[in-house]
Amino acid sequence: KGLLDNTLIVFAGDNGFLPGDKGWFNKGVLFERACQVPLMISHSGMDRAGERCERVVEFVDVFPTITELCGIENPTDQLDGTSLVPLLRDSESDWNELAHTWYGYDRSIRDQRYRYIKWSETDDALYDHKNDKGEFYNLVENPEYAELVKRMRKELENLPKRE
């Protein structure tokens, strides 16, 4: 009795397979359906229990979230993640973080609306999740999105290279 008064619960799942979508049947692709995973956090200090948040976050955000909720000082100069506590308090709070995904040498960056994928030196894609949740229409060659593509490419180029 009273156990939930001082308990933090974090539930995270694994990413799924693309069961034949886009001709793929594996996990090693960077499309939205293969990259999304469930993440649930419950803490006794939360007054918005059960609220769903549709923001784009990363698993590296879990550690700084746990330390903040537990009142433990973060070694912030060594962390890549951002605490999710503002989103736990208000799912509509200001959140402009980007999510990065790697698979081998392929890389992806996702904001609240767009996913940009860099498959190779010459092959890339941009998808608008507001208008194309299934990622059927690659906008990378569309001149209306040239500045966005340029910004997303630069963001990926600024990431540390994986060995």
Side-chain angles (χ1 to χ4, degrees):
K1 192 169 187 169
L3 186 60
L4 291 178
D5 293 339
N6 65 354
T7 301
L8 169 64
I9 300 169
V10 178
F11 174 84
D14 191 16
N15 66 317
F17 281 87
L18 282 180
D21 291 3
K22 302 180 186 305
W24 293 88
F25 191 83
N26 63 347
K27 298 170 93 161
V29 293
L30 299 176
F31 292 113
E32 185 78 4
R33 189 164 173 194
C35 292
Q36 276 190 330
V37 297
L39 174 63
M40 292 184 270
I41 300 173
S42 176
H43 183 262
S44 58
M46 293 174 56
D47 60 353
R48 303 178 76 87
E51 185 173 308
R52 184 181 179 112
C53 180
E54 296 291 335
R55 301 302 183 92
V56 173
V57 301
E58 299 178 287
F59 277 152
V60 296
D61 299 331
V62 172
F63 180 80
T65 303
I66 291 171
T67 57
E68 182 174 344
L69 289 172
C70 293
I72 300 169
E73 187 175 329
N74 272 326
T76 53
D77 60 327
Q78 300 172 20
L79 294 179
D80 288 328
T82 303
S83 173
L84 301 172
V85 169
L87 292 178
L88 294 174
R89 291 189 177 124
D90 179 5
S91 64
E92 296 300 318
S93 67
D94 193 27
W95 185 262
N96 296 314
E97 299 295 321
L98 301 172
H100 306 90
T101 309
W102 284 271
Y103 185 78
Y105 293 103
D106 298 334
R107 297 170 292 159
S108 171
I109 188 168
R110 175 78 156 86
D111 66 14
Q112 292 307 123
R113 181 168 177 179
Y114 299 97
R115 175 178 296 280
Y116 173 75
I117 303 171
K118 185 73 171 154
W119 299 109
S120 66
E121 292 303 315
T122 59
D123 193 16
D124 55 355
L126 176 71
Y127 299 103
D128 178 354
H129 283 264
K130 180 179 176 187
N131 299 311
D132 179 23
K133 292 186 187 302
E135 297 177 326
F136 295 110
Y137 305 101
N138 183 355
L139 303 171
V140 81
E141 297 295 331
N142 184 327
E144 293 178 38
Y145 296 89
E147 283 302 312
L148 177 62
V149 169
K150 183 179 176 181
R151 183 173 52 85
M152 295 289 223
R153 281 181 182 153
K154 185 173 179 73
E155 181 72 32
L156 278 182
E157 289 169 5
N158 290 335
L159 292 175
K161 301 293 184 220
R162 292 192 131 182
E163 300 288 328

